[in-house]
Amino acid sequence: MHNAAFAALGLNWRYLAFEVNPKNLRAAIEGAKAMNFAGINLTVPHKLLALEMVDELDISAKVWGAVNTIKFVQSPKSKVQSPIGFNTDADAIAQSLREDLKIKLRGAKVLLLGAGGAGKTAALKLAAENVAELFLVNRTKSKAEAIAAEIKKQFPSVTISTDFPESNVDLILNATSLGLNPGDPSPLDESQFSLKQTRAVYDMIYRPAETKLLAAAKKSGCKTANGLGMLLHQGAKAFEIWTGKPAPLDVMRKALESAVQSPKPKA
Ligand code: ATR
């Protein structure tokens, strides 16, 4: 989507993917800086590690506690490039939930599955959007409890629990990685909470386009959306940070849709 956007704007820029072992992340950022890269996107498992590896954190990275976008900025005095960390995921989640599911977050009851990097960002963003009740369920309960404690401190008006809800919710949001691989079970244990008890289901996974969770949710009559909208909007915001130009959203959406429909490239 970025290369399509660069082409649409006539920019002689390229977006490339590199697989980096987490132990080499610092060296990779230094290398990109030495090669005068404009910026970087980071994904699993680098988003939390990078917090310590940039010279400055933009308010977005501070608030959401993770870095998914770096911009190299030339300091006015020296010619040295300095990496600044941003987070474009959080706003993208809220934007996609609104656009793709027409969810009104203020006052909503949400069951959020997963308390890894993506789950944490989603939990904080939902709390900041004034959801009424947040149920943060994770295989490793202690991780959900740590996030719940942070939310209680920062957003005391949000009722937060780390157990399954006892009544209906407006939204189930999957932020676990379950569903990425074909053999994965659904991230929702339906003996604990039924899909009949929600109006909408969002899965942050976008490949496959329809996970087991989304297929079951559709069958059960829920409104559903996958993570493509979130991917689009975090990318568009990163594009704007790097280039300073408005992102050509339609061009990016089209490129993204055709990319995710094509066979998955080998890692
Ligand atoms: P991301 O940055 O994408 O959130 P992550 O930080 O590795 O990646 O988090 C993965 C999430 O998927 C976690 O919530 C993880 O649960 P744990 O915290 O218990 O590890 C969840 N997850 C991954 N595999 C799982 C599985 N087999 N069953 C249940 N949850 C799983």
Side-chain angles (χ1 to χ4, degrees), residues 44 47-48 113-119 138-140 143 175-178 185:
V44 181
K47 294 181 190 183
L48 300 179
L113 306 170
N138 194 48
R139 174 179 61 178
T140 312
K143 279 161 81 178
T176 76
S177 47
L178 281 180

Side-chain angles (χ1 to χ4, degrees), residues 230-246:
M230 181 182 160
L231 180 66
L232 170 70
H233 289 300
Q234 65 74 31
K237 286 170 210 296
F239 183 95
E240 291 177 356
I241 289 168
W242 297 322
T243 66
K245 297 177 193 300

Side-chain angles (χ1 to χ4, degrees), residues 15-98:
Y15 188 93
L16 301 164
F18 299 93
E19 197 177 340
V20 175
N21 187 303
K23 71 175 195 292
N24 296 326
L25 181 59
R26 195 179 288 277
I29 294 173
E30 281 300 312
K33 173 175 144 181
M35 290 188 286
N36 290 316
F37 277 37
I40 303 177
N41 270 148
L42 300 158
T43 190
V44 181
H46 298 128
K47 294 181 190 183
L48 300 179
L49 296 172
L51 281 168
E52 310 298 326
M53 298 180 188
V54 290
D55 289 354
E56 213 179 292
L57 291 173
D58 175 69
I59 180 83
S60 57
K62 279 188 199 147
V63 172
W64 310 120
V67 171
N68 79 320
T69 301
I70 289 176
K71 179 181 171 126
F72 292 101
V73 178
Q74 199 162 351
S75 98
K77 288 191 206 118
S78 60
K79 287 243 158 95
V80 178
Q81 296 275 80
S82 179
I84 317 286
F86 296 77
N87 184 297
T88 67
D89 284 331
D91 289 350
I93 295 169
Q95 198 168 342
S96 179
L97 288 172
R98 282 197 195 96

